[in-house]
Structure formats: structure tokens, C-alpha cells
């Protein structure tokens, strides 16, 4: 953004500012152990990785309002059973959530969850007198917990989650809604996120400048260990690509 005046900046949260994937796998392993306590520990972790990997793209369908959360969760847990030859568990979905929620919140208190380039970027934007908002596809409760655990609470002019409108990115309406809340013109504003389609392309479709954060290094449970990087041909010329937030 250096050298270019912008009206405002919106940021994604998960795997952009904080290492959500690692937290998801850690908490998922706890939840898998609650459902299948007799399975080996390595199966719990592998099952958590498969659940996060979501090869059927069910989370995206949920974000777009095509299926309910309960339907998404049920199909993903069924896939885990099939993959690891685990017996179905009665009330698996609610029991999974009961174990997952506290483990997920606790996972954000662990060192290293907040990416080291996150706060410097936010402070640099604010030093320029530019409004900065947070737009995430997470829900209100988990978003609040993540922000408090990582010290990001209170750093944004607004925080918008999927709960605000009942659907999430890449729908242009959520970008417009967030811009309206902090009084910025989408056409003169920037959105930065780690998902090429939901974040960068979604923002561009809303008339914003889309920046795709393609982190290329991380631990075994980081997002880069799961996701296939799009080929160059898949990235439109109007989308800027960075590997760290320091480059923005």
C-alpha cells in the first residue's frame, strides 16, 4: 500500500493474522479423542487434519448458505469414519462441538498463534490515519475468543463476522456492509486475506483492491501444509500477491 492513498483497509483473520489451521488441528484432535477414545492418538490427529482439510469443500458451501452447519459437520464426520474405519457415534455432532469449543479457545493462548507480521501491519495502517476493519467468516463467539486470546481485541474500527448478515465471503454484500460500517468507499479500499477466492477475488468483485496473502512457510499443521497453491494462470492480473504482511 506504500505510495498509494487508500480510504480504508479490511483484513481477514484466520490464517492471515493468526495461525488458525494449527489451532483447528490441535482442538480437532481433542474432539476426535472424545468421540473415539479407544483410537490411537495418531488417528485422532490424522482425523482432525482430514476434517480441517475438507476435501469436499463443505465449509465453502456452508459459507454460501447452500447447507446448514449441522449438515456440513455431519458429512465431514462421516468422512472421518469412512477414512479411518471408525464406528459411527450417536449424537456425534453435538458431542464433537462440546469437546472442540473449549479446546479451540485454549489453542489460541499458545505461543506462536499470532503471526509476527500481523500487529506491525495494523499499527502501520493506523499510523497513516487509515481506518482498518476486520471481516471474517468465523462466528461472533469464536472471533471474540480469538481476538482476546491473541491480543488483537480493540485494534479494529469494526469487526464483522458471518453472523452479521447470515452469510460470508465471497458475497460482495459482506464487503460492502463492512465498508459502510466504518464509512469508507469500497472503490478506494483494500482487502487482504489468505483465501484467493473468498478473500482477494471476493473483494475485487465488490469493487475493492484484493490482495492475496499466499504464505509459503509454516509448521506441519499450518495452512500451507494443507492447501494447494493456485497455479499462476488461476490468479487474475488485477490481484496482487504477497507472501507476508510485511510486503503490503
Amino acid at each position: 500500500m506504500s505510495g498509494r492513498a487508500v480510504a480504508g483497509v479490511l483484513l481477514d483473520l484466520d490464517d492471515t493474522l493468526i495461525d488458525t489451521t494449527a489451532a483447528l488441528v490441535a482442538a480437532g484432535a481433542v474432539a476426535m479423542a472424545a468421540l473415539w477414545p479407544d483410537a490411537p492418538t495418531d488417528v485422532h490427529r490424522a482425523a482432525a487434519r482430514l476434517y480441517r482439510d475438507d476435501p469436499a469443500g463443505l465449509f465453502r458451501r456452508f459459507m454460501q448458505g447452500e447447507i446448514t452447519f449441522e449438515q456440513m459437520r455431519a458429512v465431514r464426520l462421516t468422512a472421518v469414519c469412512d477414512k479411518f474405519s471408525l464406528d459411527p457415534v450417536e449424537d456425534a455432532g453435538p458431542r464433537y462441538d462440546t469437546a472442540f469449543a473449549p479446546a479451540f479457545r485454549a489453542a489460541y493462548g499458545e505461543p506462536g498463534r499470532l503471526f509476527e507480521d500481523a500487529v506491525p501491519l495494523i499499527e502501520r495502517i493506523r499510523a497513516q490515519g487509515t481506518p482498518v476493519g476486520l471481516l471474517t467468516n468465523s462466528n461472533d463467539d469464536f472471533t471474540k475468543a480469538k481476538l482476546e486470546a491473541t491480543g488483537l481485541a480493540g485494534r479494529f474500527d469494526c469487526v464483522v463476522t458471518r453472523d452479521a448478515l447470515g452469510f460470508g465471503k465471497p458475497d460482495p454484500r459482506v464487503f460492502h456492509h463492512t465498508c459502510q460500517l466504518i464509512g469508507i468507499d469500497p472503490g478506494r479500499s483494500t482487502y487482504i486475506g489468505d483465501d484467493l477466492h473468498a478473500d482477494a477475488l471476493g473483494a475485487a468483485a465488490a469493487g475493492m483492491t484484493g490482495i492475496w496473502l499466499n504464505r509459503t512457510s509454516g509448521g506441519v499443521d499450518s495452512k500451507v501444509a494443507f492447501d494447494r497453491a493456485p497455479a499462476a494462470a488461476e490468479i487474475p492480473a488485477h490481484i496482487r500477491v504477497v507472501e507476508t504482511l510485511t510486503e503490503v
Side-chain angles (χ1 to χ4, degrees), residues 124-180:
R124 182 153 44 92
I125 296 171
R126 286 203 167 281
Q128 296 172 355
T130 303
V132 56
L134 185 76
L135 171 57
T136 172
N137 275 352
S138 185
N139 65 24
D140 285 343
D141 289 343
F142 277 134
T143 298
K144 181 180 179 180
K146 295 170 191 175
L147 295 179
E148 290 178 348
T150 57
L152 290 177
R155 291 184 178 271
F156 304 97
D157 293 296
C158 73
V159 174
V160 175
T161 74
R162 186 185 185 278
D163 291 344
L165 299 181
F167 50 83
K169 302 171 293 184
D171 194 303
R173 291 173 292 178
V174 298
F175 294 96
H176 292 160
H177 174 72
T178 309
C179 288
Q180 184 177 25

Side-chain angles (χ1 to χ4, degrees), residues 80 90 120 133 161 166 209 217 219 230 239:
V80 166
E90 186 176 358
T161 74
T209 296
S217 63
I239 299 298

Side-chain angles (χ1 to χ4, degrees), residues 52-53 60 194-197 212 214-216 222-235:
R52 183 273 171 221
D53 193 30
R60 189 180 299 277
D194 70 289
D195 189 306
L196 173 62
H197 299 282
W212 177 41
N214 179 28
R215 293 192 184 275
T216 57
S222 69
K223 186 174 187 292
V224 296
F226 289 86
D227 294 346
R228 177 189 68 84
E234 298 179 60
I235 306 172

Side-chain angles (χ1 to χ4, degrees), residues 17 19 27-28 32 46 59 78 83 91 96 128 139 141 146 154 178 182 184 186 188 191 196 209 211 213 219 228 243:
L17 303 180
D19 191 353
M32 296 300 176
F59 183 76
T78 297
K83 174 70 174 179
D91 295 327
Y96 178 91
Q128 296 172 355
N139 65 24
D141 289 343
K146 295 170 191 175
T178 309
I182 54 177
I184 60 177
R188 295 181 52 240
Y191 187 88
L196 173 62
T209 296
I211 298 180
L213 173 63
R228 177 189 68 84
E243 295 184 359

Side-chain angles (χ1 to χ4, degrees), residues 82-107:
D82 293 343
K83 174 70 174 179
F84 299 100
S85 299
L86 299 169
D87 293 330
V89 176
E90 186 176 358
D91 295 327
R95 290 175 63 181
Y96 178 91
D97 286 352
T98 297
F100 177 85
F104 192 45
R105 289 183 171 88

